Amino acid sequence: MLETLVIVPTYNEKENLEPIVDRILAASRHTDILVVDDNSPDGTGDLADELALRYPEVNVLHRAVKDGLGGAYRAGFAWGLDRGYWALVEMDADGSHHPEDLPRMIELLAEHDLVLGSRWVPGGKVENWPMRRQLLSKGGSAFTRAALGIEVRDATGGYRVFSADALRRLELGGVASQGYCFQVDLLWRALEHGLRVVETPITFTERVVGESKMSGSIVIESLLRVTAWGFKRRARAVAGLVGEGRRLPSVRASYHRVLPNSRMRD
């Protein structure tokens, strides 16, 4: 039984790929890496192949199309589940997610189904982000909490560890969202399925090299989809609560604060 697979989607991340691969391998034992490259024109895929020849822990999945973050992660999850990994990790290629946090997150998975690396819980922080980006991220999470009735502080974050069983239960074939809305989609599905979800603080560092893939169209897609999901949730809840006089329920994720250089604590 293999253990952990870190899935790293790439598109034009040639300058960032080798450093993040080296950091992952140094930070976490019994961990393999799957680079999912969407036919990067800058040669990222070729570099990934070179790293796979150098390190037995590195694997590469080449995709002919660029159809968003959701498509890349779905392909990576399917690859990992077919090969029997116990934990599957979402991690950005640009160094914004610190591989050094990974052992702690994997430890939390022993008692949970999904571990969220959170920027917006006590102990979490961001580095080198302009205030505009911070407000956009916090605002997006606040809007998602209100629309979907969830109590997750960082609903849009992309540093996550799933158990294999959790991914199988989420029925990924029905996930239509692409972009960064994919993260909200999976989180909401996890909470609605009653999975054990926990947030733990991380430090998020803005990329130094390359360009962010965030765009206005991605933000608009997320707003539209979350709004539609929110209306559907309320329609279902109101239909079930008619005559009972109860408020719409909210779905809570547990929260663990992990102090620096310490073992896991509540």
Side-chain angles (χ1 to χ4, degrees):
M1 183 69 175
L2 300 172
E3 296 194 18
T4 300
L5 178 69
V6 177
I7 301 168
V8 182
T10 56
Y11 184 77
N12 288 349
E13 297 287 359
K14 185 175 181 179
E15 293 180 88
N16 290 313
L17 182 58
E18 187 167 357
I20 198 65
V21 164
D22 289 341
R23 287 176 65 187
I24 293 169
L25 295 179
S28 182
R29 299 178 57 196
H30 309 297
T31 296
D32 289 346
I33 300 169
L34 176 65
V35 179
V36 183
D37 186 66
D38 282 3
N39 198 25
S40 298
D42 72 342
T44 301
D46 293 335
L47 175 58
D49 288 334
E50 294 175 15
L51 294 173
L53 290 174
R54 190 185 313 169
Y55 302 116
E57 299 91 345
V58 177
N59 308 272
V60 185
L61 179 59
H62 294 280
R63 301 202 315 148
V65 296
K66 182 180 184 296
D67 63 354
L69 190 70
Y73 272 130
R74 285 198 304 274
F77 289 149
W79 191 96
L81 291 174
D82 286 345
R83 287 158 180 80
Y85 287 92
W86 169 71
L88 296 96
V89 181
E90 296 182 357
M91 184 183 295
D92 288 351
D94 59 12
S96 58
H97 299 147
H98 294 196
E100 295 76 17
D101 290 328
L102 187 55
R104 168 166 52 83
M105 296 174 71
I106 294 171
E107 183 180 5
L108 283 167
L109 196 67
E111 297 180 358
H112 299 87
D113 302 299
L114 169 57
V115 179
L116 307 174
S118 180
R119 298 161 290 187
W120 309 127
V121 296
K125 62 180 180 179
V126 297
E127 296 177 336
N128 305 325
W129 244 20
M131 185 57 64
R132 179 184 63 84
R133 291 290 301 275
Q134 294 188 45
L135 292 175
L136 180 63
S137 178
K138 289 182 178 180
S141 285
F143 177 76
T144 299
R145 287 197 302 274
L148 302 183
I150 62 177
E151 296 185 11
V152 175
R153 304 306 303 175
D154 194 348
T156 62
Y159 194 5
R160 301 178 172 191
V161 183
F162 294 84
S163 71
D165 181 65
L167 287 173
R168 293 189 181 97
R169 293 171 62 186
L170 292 181
E171 302 171 354
L172 296 175
V175 179
S177 50
Q178 300 296 331
Y180 287 83
C181 192
F182 176 77
Q183 307 294 13
V184 178
D185 197 339
L186 286 193
L187 171 60
W188 192 35
R189 287 169 182 262
L191 292 170
E192 288 210 313
H193 278 73
L195 300 186
R196 300 166 300 171
V197 179
V198 63
E199 292 189 276
T200 189
I202 62 166
T203 297
F204 178 96
T205 303
E206 174 67 326
R207 67 162 65 232
V208 175
V209 178
E211 297 181 357
S212 171
K213 308 304 187 294
M214 179 65 72
S215 66
S217 61
I218 290 173
V219 174
I220 292 171
E221 181 208 13
S222 298
L223 288 173
L224 292 176
R225 286 188 178 272
V226 171
T227 300
W229 296 336
F231 279 126
K232 289 180 180 178
R233 168 191 170 261
R234 280 165 170 73
R236 291 198 309 266
V238 169
L241 298 178
V242 169
E244 297 184 17
R246 293 192 288 119
R247 297 175 60 189
L248 291 175
S250 62
V251 185
R252 182 185 299 274
S254 61
Y255 163 60
H256 285 231
R257 182 173 184 179
V258 182
L259 301 178
N261 302 317
S262 70
R263 298 287 291 175
M264 180 179 69
R265 302 179 185 179
D266 286 336

